[in-house]
Amino acid sequence: MPRLPPQLISQARNIDPLIPLLLRSCRDLHSARNELRWLREHLSPNPNASNRQKSLRRLCIERSRGKPLQYILGDQPFGNLEILCRTGVLIPRPETETWATNLATLIPTYPPLLPHGDDAAPRALRILDLCTGTGCIALLLHSLLHRTHPSLQILGIDVSSRAIALARRNLHHNVSSNHLLHSSATEQIRFKYGDIFNNENNKAVWRGEESEGWDIVVANPPGDCGNGGREGRGDGGWGDGTGGASRDAGSGGGDMGAVRGLERLGGWGG
């Protein structure tokens, strides 16, 4: 990584003494100023100005050492949802939000999933989300599809017990704590342990209680699917997978090729 120009550091120090710390991770003034603002907002409930400044400096030092902003603030916007982020589980990317949103626009127009006849009600829609992580894809798809598919059923699978616990917490957080997700999600979304590389486990998950099969399978696996990307999902480093901090929901552009994660499975799993 190239060194920061001395004039940039001097300019940052003149704006705020804490910004040079953030430049180590942000690399430009605009991003560093934004992150400092978000960190200040994160600490705003603290009434003690002296303690608040000490806490702010501590958070800036953590960020300067490469800790992802989402792990410091504790959450990441994802569509209309607020996804809690914890170390050991990858942080949702803006690109993932974009392709999940585009996928939700394609599903209601997909011929095999359309109701038949003038009076036909929307058919039940069953979605399997592999490598669910924080549960962000499953939760966002429910948020975008529950009105057009009231009989929606979504199952999120992950090999990490830490990820499953966080996904369940995110479900509760978005339904009960801030009411961003429709209450039906508590009955229509489930998260459970599953190893997609274990054939016996797959049979138990997909051919046992899930005997009706799946209409849609989505997957956004971690980049490292070796031992470092299984239990703990990248816990050897920060494992954030963000490529930089983004707090603006919907930013970052979209990878339309990822929409190919939509697959019609026919009778598989039945």
Side-chain angles (χ1 to χ4, degrees):
M1 183 180 295
R3 295 179 60 185
L4 294 168
Q7 60 269 29
L8 178 62
I9 297 174
S10 176
Q11 185 181 358
R13 188 178 292 110
N14 290 335
I15 297 172
D16 191 291
L18 294 176
I19 289 184
L21 287 171
L22 297 175
L23 275 177
R24 297 177 188 175
S25 293
C26 299
R27 313 303 293 178
D28 68 81
L29 276 178
H30 177 74
S31 298
R33 293 178 75 167
N34 274 340
E35 291 204 4
L36 183 59
R37 173 170 57 85
W38 290 323
L39 291 171
R40 281 200 172 108
E41 291 171 354
H42 178 65
L43 293 173
S44 59
N46 191 335
N48 188 310
S50 175
N51 289 343
R52 184 171 179 269
Q53 191 62 23
K54 289 179 182 178
S55 297
L56 181 60
R57 180 172 179 78
R58 175 179 53 80
L59 295 182
C60 288
I61 291 173
E62 288 184 28
R63 181 68 179 121
S64 74
R65 292 172 177 168
K67 186 173 184 177
L69 182 69
Q70 293 89 342
Y71 288 155
I72 296 173
L73 300 182
D75 59 66
Q76 167 70 15
F78 196 78
N80 63 317
L81 306 178
E82 184 177 82
I83 301 299
L84 302 177
C85 299
R86 299 294 182 267
T87 55
V89 183
L90 301 187
I91 296 166
R93 293 178 61 93
E95 297 93 325
T96 306
E97 176 190 330
T98 300
W99 76 248
T101 302
N102 282 310
L103 175 59
T105 66
L106 294 177
I107 289 174
T109 66
Y110 191 54
L113 302 179
L114 295 176
H116 300 289
D118 294 336
D119 299 326
R123 52 154 291 179
L125 178 62
R126 294 170 56 80
I127 300 175
L128 179 63
D129 177 25
L130 302 176
C131 308
T132 193
T134 61
C136 59
I137 295 174
L139 299 178
L140 183 57
L141 287 178
H142 187 280
S143 175
L144 297 172
L145 292 171
H146 77 273
R147 291 182 179 85
T148 56
H149 291 82
S151 299
L152 191 60
Q153 291 294 324
I154 303 177
L155 175 63
I157 299 289
D158 205 286
V159 72
S160 167
S161 56
R162 188 182 304 183
I164 292 298
L166 182 57
R168 290 170 176 164
R169 185 176 176 187
N170 271 316
L171 173 59
H172 175 78
H173 177 71
N174 282 277
V175 172
S176 302
S177 299
N178 54 21
H179 308 289
L180 296 176
L181 198 59
H182 192 268
S183 59
S184 62
T186 57
E187 299 293 329
Q188 296 179 347
I189 302 177
R190 293 177 299 122
F191 297 105
K192 65 186 299 183
Y193 175 89
D195 185 349
I196 63 175
F197 297 108
N198 184 318
N199 289 334
E200 291 303 314
N201 179 266
N202 290 343
K203 291 178 183 178
V205 171
W206 298 330
R207 295 186 181 275
E209 60 180 282
E210 317 303 343
S211 57
E212 297 178 30
W214 301 99
D215 300 299
I216 307 292
V217 171
V218 294
N220 187 32
D224 177 9
C225 290
N227 291 334
R230 293 165 70 83
E231 184 67 30
R233 296 177 68 84
D235 208 23
W238 287 116
D240 64 309
T242 60
S246 172
R247 299 289 295 171
D248 299 320
S251 67
D255 180 4
M256 288 303 296
V259 177
R260 293 170 187 160
L262 167 62
E263 294 289 346
R264 178 63 186 174
L265 299 179
W268 178 68

